[in-house]
């Protein structure tokens, strides 16, 4: 995953409604699909799961829409050579309109496995959760 000017973007490749959701939270049609389609996430954790799924399926529009405008980069360049292979939510805590979600996201690229570990901050704006920023550890 990289941010910057994108020369080529992967196309969105969504699972069928009855397939397992990439985030591991159930079947895609009942888990992340409604949020990717624009429904508000009921919690910061569910938004985090939908953002992981957006990375996994190449849904840049959802990433842009769910990113706080104050911290969102000008361009999002999804690397179509990265395959996201799993998500573990380690902690999800919130208080009113602010929340933190700690997670581990696993990936594979060019035959190499990796892991992104982050504590992400979320805020509720106008009744919708948005990703603000995070600390990568």
């Amino acid at each position: 995953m990289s941010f910057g000017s994108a020369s080529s973007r992967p196309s969105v490749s969504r699972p069928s409604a009855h397939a397992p959701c990439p985030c591991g939270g159930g079947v895609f049609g009942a888990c992340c699909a409604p949020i990717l389609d624009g429904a508000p996430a009921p919690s910061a954790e569910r938004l985090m799961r939908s953002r992981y799924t957006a990375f996994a399926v190449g849904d840049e529009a959802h990433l842009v829409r769910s990113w706080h405008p104050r911290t969102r980069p000008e361009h999002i360049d999804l690397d179509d050579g990265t395959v996201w292979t799993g998500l573990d939510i380690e902690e999800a805590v919130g208080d009113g309109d602010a929340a933190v979600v700690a997670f581990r996201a696993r990936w594979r690229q060019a035959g190499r496995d990796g892991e992104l570990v982050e504590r992400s901050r979320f805020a509720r704006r106008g009744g919708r959760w948005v990703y603000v920023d995070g600390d990568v550890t």
Side-chain angles (χ1 to χ4, degrees), residues 34-108:
I35 300 168
L36 294 178
D37 289 339
S43 67
E45 178 181 343
R46 287 288 305 279
L47 182 64
M48 175 60 237
R49 288 182 173 280
S50 74
R51 288 178 56 81
Y52 171 87
T53 295
F55 277 105
V57 303
D59 190 340
E60 180 182 321
H62 177 66
L63 294 170
V64 169
R65 186 173 57 247
S66 63
W67 207 315
H68 195 292
R70 182 174 33 92
T71 58
R72 180 176 54 227
E74 188 173 325
H75 299 284
I76 300 172
D77 183 11
L78 299 178
D79 185 346
D80 60 357
T82 301
V83 177
W84 293 93
T85 60
L87 174 68
D88 294 316
I89 302 295
E90 297 183 337
E91 179 183 32
V93 295
D95 182 18
D97 291 335
V100 172
V101 179
F103 68 91
R104 291 179 180 274
R106 292 175 302 285
W107 51 265
R108 183 163 188 78

Side-chain angles (χ1 to χ4, degrees), residues 1-23:
M1 161 182 66
S2 62
F3 301 105
S5 182
S7 57
S8 68
R9 292 199 169 89
S11 61
V12 176
S13 176
R14 291 172 61 139
S16 73
H18 302 290
C21 191
C23 82

